[in-house]
Amino acid sequence: MKILYGMQKPDEGTIAINGEQVSFSNPGDAIERGIGMVHQHFMLADNFTVLENVVLGGEKLYGIGSGARKKIKEISDAYGLGIRPDALVEDLGVADRQRVEILKVLYRGARILILDEPTAVLVPQEVDALFANLRELKAEGLTVIFISHKLGEVLSVADDITVIRRGTTVGTADPASTTTKQLAELMVGSELPSPETRESTVTDVPMLRVQDLALTVTDPDGTVRDVLAGIDLTIHQGEVLGIAGVEGNGQTELIEALIGMRDPDGGVITLDQDDISHVPTRKRRESGIGYIPEDRHRHGVLLDAPLWENRILGHVTEKPNSRGWLLDNKAARADTERIVREYDVRTPGIEVTAASLSGGNQQKLIVGREMSHAPKLLIAAHPTRGVDVGAQAQIWDQIREARREGLAVLLISADLDELIGLSDTLRVMYRGRLVADADPATITPEELGSAMTGAATGHLESPEDEAR
Amino acid sequence: MKKFDKDRLILAFAGPVLALVVALALTTVVLLASGRNPFEPYRIMFESASYVDVQVLIVNQAGTYYLAALAVAVGFRMNLFNIGVDGQYRLAAMMAALVGASVNLPGPLHIALIVIVAMLVGAFWSGIAGFLKTTRGVSEVVSTIMLNSIATALVAWMILPKNFGEQPAGSNNLTTGEIPESGWFPGLPMGDQAGEIYGFTFVAAGCGLLYWFVLNRTRFGFDLRATGASESAAQASGVDAKKMILTSMLISGAVAGLAGMPTLLGDTHTYSLDFPTGIGFTGITIALLGRNNPLGIAFSALLIAFLDKSSASLDQYGFEKEIATIMQGLIVISVVVSYELVRRYGIRRQQQKVGEELAAGHAIKTEKEAAL
């Protein structure tokens, strides 16, 4: 993918576009050839309007004024994207942002679109809308490369499927005659990894109890806004509590209040009978909260630091990283090698910087690190985002195994299959409140999706309930 | 694994070497453009530096610079820009000189008192900036610049004879009075003509060792580096960012307070109007050039001190000694540019290398593979 977009050079092999052999030395070359990439992480400036974001870096194409606006309208109408050029990006939802990204590459004249895990952040209804957009693009003669690990989606949207595993093509498939199961076997070389947890390990010993948690923020203009209100939840030992919700509905703030990066304005957080509502982050970590952050680059790793220093991060006061006030670099290094081995982190060594590993391997290192301190509670935000199928299955296994040993897990994820499969209890978060709960054994992603948009509240059980 | 380490070493040197070569080339261009012989000044400077007395001057100057640069580097490692080292060290030196001149204690105690006062005053002055940043969010860049000016005014006022200063008979200079001999730090004599190396230069070297140890071997140092590398990640890992900012500002100020000590304890024994200024700003250059690394800073301090002291002889041969100042300025610019270039290259190169090694099957054997 990086090679197709000119970010990396191939050692061997050729790329041909419309029968013509090409080689790219940077993304600029790729764009010139009509290749556009929609990244998994959006590359948009929040405080700019859609129009400004689209023209940014492409000022020479149609100017920055009415010409650009006309072109944007034209593209938006042609493919049914429904873009409002003057909306601020920060006011847009995830799905809208994604459409802006798509429009951005079309604006630059792309005829071949690469979409990297585009559905990871969308609810099912939004996925359908995206697929409708993609079909429009296809109808207009554009080529779309759709990269995803969600097999059902691939089967429903693709005309042709290529399966890649560990850097080589392992097979091709025709979506019309292939089942999810066959495709999965191609992907992992064996049977399908599923997030399903088989037997329940939930005990009646509460590990984390949150009562009436509230958090407000003051906007620059002075208005006070509730970001969290009346949050009540209890996670028992051996229980995975999943929280579903469209991103930006308070999940981030909830996590940050639990880990101590934000001081709640009301309510009580109790971990294993101790009130930790206002305890500093380090104390909370020492008392057994493991944390897999949603944004690993911002909160999980030091990109420029070697792996073994990243192993110390967050646990500098704990063994084997330090003895008293002194670091124990030797023990930390040795333990990093253990984590690399046990958690299958693909790296040539522990002295390389975290930045030189792929996202999935960074994530495995983080999971390994957090699991190495025998946590009582694991806060896992999007634990498998941007992680390949093999690593995903492994991370699921690790969470399951720790849960069997009595770990309480708060799971926040945009991957509804993961949420439903891994959780013992499900709650839905909408506008800073927990508005609905559901039994993962009976709920479908579609039902959950409509609750996430605020359409359904209360206990989600049967389709009748959901319809109201 | 070894290969990565060698790479890192080469890259670590590539930055400063590239910067110095560029700076040297640009200086030569400046000399050519102004119609002067472009090579003669270098020859004169090197020749001058071959004399022992100049060498002693260079080492002594380097000791002072070293401390100032360490003070700046402590801040840099934390992503704090303490521009106020200059004010902190002048105020600290003056207060320490005042206290030192007004008491009589047995030798080591006297020296210790002076040094402690200097550290406390320096820490207090930088602490103001730290306090403002943590409580009111005032940028430390702005507040330390302001505090520099305030320190200048404060020193000028306090040194007036009607306040705490004195005016030696038959002189226009103002001083804080002479520190009794028990408060002089013994130096290392280098022969009759050459003078002596300030004893405090060795304390400075000790500070460098301590700096390395604290940063690389203690929990506190790890927290500090983590905060500098990524404040958000450090916060998530349990570092109290505010406490960290205040602590590192205090440490930076305390070290800045030491920067005046080699001169005060080893040479002048009083704070007067002609006490050296601008050390703090030179310290910024040196910390940048030395990449905040204690050994790197030592070499940079020696280099800048060499430019300073050996350029004095340029005047005698009809060259302006400001050539060295131009060179220092050019070094700063090229350092900033070349370090960033080398850093980006290093990241790209390592990513590529890791990719290659993995593709070639040189990954550490993991259990999953062993099971297959």
Side-chain angles (χ1 to χ4, degrees), chain B residues 286-304:
Chain B
I286 295 169
L288 273 176
L289 181 61
R291 324 190 77 170
N292 306 323
N293 170 300
L295 207 60
I297 296 175
F299 284 120
S300 327
L302 280 168
L303 175 74
I304 301 290

Side-chain angles (χ1 to χ4, degrees), chain B:
Chain B
M1 214 43 255
K2 279 279 178 295
K3 246 194 298 177
F4 284 106
D5 293 339
K6 209 176 85 195
D7 268 9
R8 196 175 298 166
L9 207 67
I10 293 172
L11 283 178
F13 278 103
V17 169
L18 184 65
L20 290 177
V21 168
V22 170
L24 206 66
L26 287 175
T27 315
T28 311
V29 170
V30 170
L31 286 171
L32 278 173
S34 59
R36 286 167 179 76
N37 182 324
F39 302 111
E40 188 66 6
Y42 304 135
R43 195 193 60 74
I44 297 169
M45 282 165 72
F46 276 111
E47 195 187 289
S48 138
S50 66
Y51 296 107
V52 180
D53 58 335
V54 178
Q55 285 168 2
V56 168
L57 285 176
I58 291 174
V59 170
N60 283 341
Q61 185 67 60
T64 301
Y65 283 162
Y66 190 59
L67 286 166
L70 280 186
V72 178
V74 170
F76 275 156
R77 286 312 287 262
M78 215 355 249
N79 255 344
L80 285 175
F81 197 175
N82 181 5
I83 305 186
V85 170
D86 207 59
Q88 288 145 24
Y89 105 90
R90 278 184 287 129
L91 196 66
M94 147 137 207
M95 298 293 280
L98 270 177
V99 172
S102 61
V103 296
N104 241 321
L105 286 169
L109 273 183
H110 200 161
I111 293 172
L113 177 74
I114 295 174
V115 171
I116 287 169
V117 168
M119 290 176 76
L120 287 179
V121 173
F124 169 72
W125 209 241
S126 65
I128 297 176
F131 176 77
L132 286 174
K133 185 169 174 91
T134 48
T135 55
R136 310 298 313 164
V138 179
S139 159
E140 80 282 0
V141 175
V142 176
S143 58
T144 50
I145 292 177
M146 301 288 191
L147 284 166
N148 275 345
S149 304
I150 300 174
T152 307
L154 200 58
V155 167
W157 178 77
M158 289 210 298
I159 207 167
L160 291 177
K162 64 172 176 152
N163 294 319
F164 303 100
E166 4 184 296
Q167 187 163 14
S171 158
N172 281 331
N173 205 350
L174 297 173
T175 77
T176 54
E178 177 117 322
I179 297 172
E181 207 155 324
S182 58
W184 297 11
F185 204 108
L188 182 68
M190 296 302 290
D192 290 343
Q193 301 297 311
E196 52 179 36
I197 293 178
Y198 301 151
F200 212 81
T201 308
F202 299 98
V203 177
C207 288
L209 274 178
L210 193 67
Y211 169 92
W212 174 85
F213 183 82
V214 169
L215 274 183
N216 294 294
R217 288 288 183 271
T218 66
R219 268 164 40 178
F220 170 78
F222 184 84
D223 283 347
L224 192 141
R225 283 185 291 136
T227 316
S230 163
E231 199 178 319
S232 50
Q235 224 176 346
S237 86
V239 178
D240 182 342
K242 286 189 172 176
K243 206 169 110 192
M244 211 63 207
I245 290 171
L246 193 60
T247 321
S248 44
M249 265 327 253
L250 287 174
I251 296 177
S252 177
V255 179
L258 288 178
M261 292 301 101
T263 315
L264 183 69
L265 298 174
D267 184 14
T268 63
H269 308 301
T270 184
Y271 187 94
S272 57
L273 288 182
D274 52 6
F275 202 79
T277 59
I279 305 288
F281 298 112
T282 315
I284 296 172
T285 312
I286 295 169
L288 273 176
L289 181 61
R291 324 190 77 170
N292 306 323
N293 170 300
L295 207 60
I297 296 175
F299 284 120
S300 327
L302 280 168
L303 175 74
I304 301 290
F306 159 77
L307 289 178
D308 264 11
K309 295 299 170 189
S310 63
S311 62
S313 57
L314 285 177
D315 269 345
Q316 303 161 22
Y317 296 90
F319 289 99
E320 294 75 8
K321 68 175 191 306
E322 280 70 23
I323 290 170
T325 316
I326 292 176
M327 198 159 168
Q328 282 185 20
L330 291 172
I331 287 177
V332 178
I333 296 176
S334 27
V335 156
V336 175
V337 176
S338 80
Y339 283 8
E340 185 59 24
L341 286 178
V342 169
R343 193 183 72 88
R344 287 188 193 172
Y345 172 77
I347 291 175
R348 251 211 332 267
R349 187 178 153 86
Q350 196 181 38
Q351 268 168 352
Q352 244 165 31
K353 276 227 136 135
V354 168
E356 277 167 25
E357 296 260 317
L358 285 181
H362 288 157
I364 293 181
K365 255 227 160 345
T366 62
E367 281 183 5
K368 199 171 165 195
E369 279 179 303
L372 284 177

Side-chain angles (χ1 to χ4, degrees), chain A residues 261 281-282 285 291 298-299 301-302 304 309 312-314 316-317 322 324-327 329 340-342 344-353 355-356 390 394, chain B residues 1 4-5 8 213 216-220 222-223 225-226 229-230 232-239 343 347 350-351 354 357-358 362-369:
Chain A
M261 290 164 71
T281 305
R282 176 147 293 164
R285 287 198 157 231
Y291 178 36
R298 262 171 65 74
H299 293 127
V301 291
L302 302 173
D304 289 339
E309 286 196 351
I312 299 178
L313 187 73
V316 68
T317 55
S322 61
W325 287 101
L326 297 184
L327 293 178
N329 290 350
V340 165
R341 271 198 316 274
E342 287 181 9
D344 195 36
V345 182
R346 317 279 308 161
T347 172
I350 58 165
E351 299 291 335
V352 301
T353 57
S356 49
Q394 198 184 355
Chain B
M1 214 43 255
F4 284 106
D5 293 339
R8 196 175 298 166
F213 183 82
N216 294 294
R217 288 288 183 271
T218 66
R219 268 164 40 178
F220 170 78
F222 184 84
D223 283 347
R225 283 185 291 136
S230 163
S232 50
Q235 224 176 346
S237 86
V239 178
R343 193 183 72 88
I347 291 175
Q350 196 181 38
Q351 268 168 352
V354 168
E357 296 260 317
L358 285 181
H362 288 157
I364 293 181
K365 255 227 160 345
T366 62
E367 281 183 5
K368 199 171 165 195
E369 279 179 303

